[in-house]
Amino acid sequence: MAAQRIVVAPVQQLRGAESVGWSQAMGPAADYLRLVDDEIAFALRERQVGADWVFPPQLAATARRNAPVAADPYALEVAQLLAPPRSGGPVEIVEPLAGQARSLVAFSDARYVLIPTELRFERRAQTAESGGAARAVLRVAVVDARLSRLRWAGDVASDTASAFSPAIAAGVAARLADLVAPIP
């Protein structure tokens, strides 16, 4: 995957910050999601991956220039990607996401879209070590836009933290980068 030209969509939605008591410290959800987008781009570039990849700021600029035909990369219909994929063969991506994915790759000569569908916060079981800790979990899907097929989907989790910190975004981005280009 690291050698492919990939379009990286922005993180689409945020869930659970209120349930772990972090929404106040986090600030506006849209701002935090943009921070996570930036951390993902940084983590991938730090691994010398993604020199040829299209990241959210460039993707958004291209979409604005081609507004009549390009999908809004911040408003993808990702509901079908939130559940774990069913086993037993290829998973078809249906409309409207199939068309949105095709429009995202059309202007970048790419085939695949990496879609961080959701960032959610989960409370961890209370133990003597973790106290009332929580972690961030990023749901990620890789879609073959030409064939409208899901190629991979999974969750990437940050380390557990007892309080909100900007390091949580960097941690979950680094874990995603580990999947693409592990540190030797």
Side-chain angles (χ1 to χ4, degrees):
M1 197 169 124
Q4 299 278 331
R5 182 167 175 89
I6 307 282
V7 170
V8 180
V11 181
Q12 295 298 301
Q13 56 190 10
L14 179 71
R15 182 169 57 95
E18 327 69 47
S19 68
V20 297
W22 289 355
S23 58
Q24 194 91 13
M26 186 178 59
D31 293 347
Y32 188 71
L33 291 178
R34 298 307 71 86
L35 171 67
V36 176
D37 293 339
D38 292 344
E39 290 291 350
I40 290 170
F42 177 81
L44 289 168
R45 288 181 177 133
E46 186 177 52
R47 309 278 173 96
Q48 299 178 351
V49 174
D52 210 23
W53 289 24
V54 180
F55 291 101
Q58 181 185 354
L59 185 61
T62 300
R64 279 191 301 276
R65 283 192 305 272
N66 298 285
V69 293
D72 177 356
Y74 292 98
L76 301 177
E77 295 291 331
V78 296
Q80 64 187 296
L81 300 176
L82 293 174
R86 59 186 190 278
S87 59
V91 176
E92 288 290 319
I93 301 300
V94 298
E95 295 299 337
L97 183 59
Q100 290 172 328
R102 281 191 303 276
S103 81
L104 293 177
V105 301
F107 300 102
S108 62
D109 194 32
R111 178 176 185 152
Y112 299 99
V113 183
L114 186 147
I115 306 173
T117 57
E118 173 184 70
L119 180 68
R120 68 183 183 275
F121 293 100
E122 299 178 339
R123 183 151 316 277
R124 303 298 292 160
Q126 187 145 349
T127 65
E129 297 84 37
S130 70
R135 68 179 182 174
V137 179
L138 183 65
R139 180 92 180 138
V140 181
V142 176
V143 172
D144 181 332
R146 292 183 190 165
L147 297 178
S148 297
R149 292 219 169 121
L150 178 66
R151 289 297 178 199
W152 179 84
D155 290 338
V156 180
S158 72
D159 289 334
T160 301
S162 58
F164 180 78
S165 161
I168 294 168
V172 78
R175 294 276 173 87
L176 175 59
D178 287 344
L179 293 176
V180 176
I183 295 174

